[in-house]
Amino acid sequence: MTDLTGKTALVTGSVQGIGLAMAKAFAKAGARVALHGLADAKMAQDALNEALDAGAPDARFFHADMRDVSAIEQMMDDMADWGGADILVNNAGIQKTVPLAEADQETWDAILDVNLSGAFHTMRLAMPLMAERGFGRVINIASVHGLVASKYKAPYVASKFGLVGMSRVAALEYADAGSRASGGVTVNCICPGWTETAIIEPQIQERAAAHGGDREAGIAELLAEKQPSRRTSDPAEVGALALWLCAREAHNVTGTSIPIDGGWTAQ
């Protein structure tokens, strides 16, 4: 099992779903965990409790709007005061399905700011310290829509393709930081397909409405259209991959985009 004792992980968008699952995986491996989100006090405390119960020796919560550069910079300053992030996971993301002709500037700006620009700012501020230490892991949650397109998701797909490209640039720039012994500095994307999270719920409900409100029928239709396995992924399965990417043995796994999509992008 990957041992993250003495490491600190920052996971954006981690009050629920994939983000919280990854935070708990890191906590179980012994890492201190920095959680993040736009959450009320109860939701934030519940997430902290889950991380601590999973084994984190310490956990903190950061409220930062990923559309606000100054808020991100303050969060990263606070992280530096806490010792800095050895592991950075950019998971915070928003989506809106809308035809290209109906997408407005507000929608475009919000999705690009959260999904792409937010990750840019956390990376530029976290990675120099990783290089100094000779160990660092950046894991960007890019979605299958960082690899293939779908209708009615132009801003979202643009943000995720951009995230994949930016991750490759960062992987190249930091490829020679550290060593095999120290673990090096790597940058990778995880690209989930249909996963049991809140972000896909509007699409499920839309499909369910066409089946008289039958939610299971809506899910089945989504899976049949895209995901050959006909199975959704559990967020914990994404957490398991993220944990493996943090192992020292993964020092030469960098610049990749790894799908967890039941064969979606293999078609």
Side-chain angles (χ1 to χ4, degrees):
M1 178 181 175
T2 302
D3 183 3
L4 297 181
T5 302
K7 306 296 186 187
T8 301
L10 167 62
V11 185
T12 68
S14 49
V15 295
Q16 61 184 354
I18 290 173
L20 183 56
M22 288 187 290
K24 289 166 66 176
F26 300 146
K28 188 175 181 180
R32 299 191 307 170
V33 176
L35 301 170
H36 160 269
L38 297 179
D40 60 30
K42 182 181 185 305
M43 183 176 289
Q45 189 59 55
D46 287 347
L48 284 170
N49 290 343
E50 289 202 46
L52 292 168
D53 289 346
D58 195 5
R60 297 189 182 186
F61 195 90
F62 294 89
H63 295 270
D65 188 334
M66 299 303 287
R67 299 168 297 182
D68 183 345
V69 177
S70 63
I72 296 171
E73 291 176 338
Q74 183 62 60
M75 176 175 70
M76 300 310 291
D77 284 346
D78 292 341
M79 279 297 305
D81 291 341
W82 199 34
D86 302 290
I87 299 160
L88 168 65
V89 179
N90 284 302
N91 175 70
I94 58 175
Q95 180 182 163
K96 181 178 180 180
T97 56
V98 60
L100 181 64
E102 297 175 17
D104 55 21
Q105 183 174 346
E106 182 180 2
T107 298
W108 173 266
D109 289 347
I111 291 174
L112 269 291
D113 284 349
V114 174
N115 297 5
L116 181 57
S117 296
F120 165 75
H121 292 298
T122 59
M123 289 168 66
R124 71 176 175 83
L125 295 167
M127 295 192 72
L129 180 58
M130 294 178 181
E132 288 179 19
R133 292 174 171 173
F135 176 88
R137 296 292 185 266
V138 177
I139 302 170
N140 291 325
I141 305 305
S143 166
V144 293
H145 287 114
L147 303 173
V148 296
S150 291
K151 295 190 296 183
Y152 312 130
K153 296 179 182 177
Y156 186 76
V157 169
S159 72
K160 296 301 185 177
F161 266 70
L163 188 58
V164 168
M166 181 171 67
S167 299
R168 291 177 180 176
V169 172
L172 292 174
E173 290 187 5
Y174 285 87
D176 61 353
S179 65
R180 180 187 297 172
S182 70
V185 177
T186 69
V187 185
N188 294 286
C189 291
I190 296 177
C191 302
W194 295 125
T195 307
E196 296 169 23
T197 62
I199 200 169
I200 70 167
E201 188 60 30
Q203 295 173 79
I204 291 173
Q205 293 301 325
E206 181 181 351
R207 300 298 181 99
H211 294 275
D214 187 334
R215 189 172 186 277
E216 292 305 313
I219 293 172
E221 183 177 319
L222 281 177
L223 292 171
E225 181 181 300
K226 299 286 190 181
Q227 198 145 304
S229 68
R230 304 291 181 96
R231 300 187 299 270
T232 57
S233 296
D234 186 278
E237 295 158 7
V238 182
L241 175 56
L243 180 60
W244 181 82
L245 287 171
C246 293
R248 185 199 62 79
E249 292 82 359
H251 66 95
N252 258 343
V253 181
T254 193
T256 69
S257 299
I258 306 174
I260 305 180
D261 66 359
W264 183 336
T265 55
Q267 300 176 94

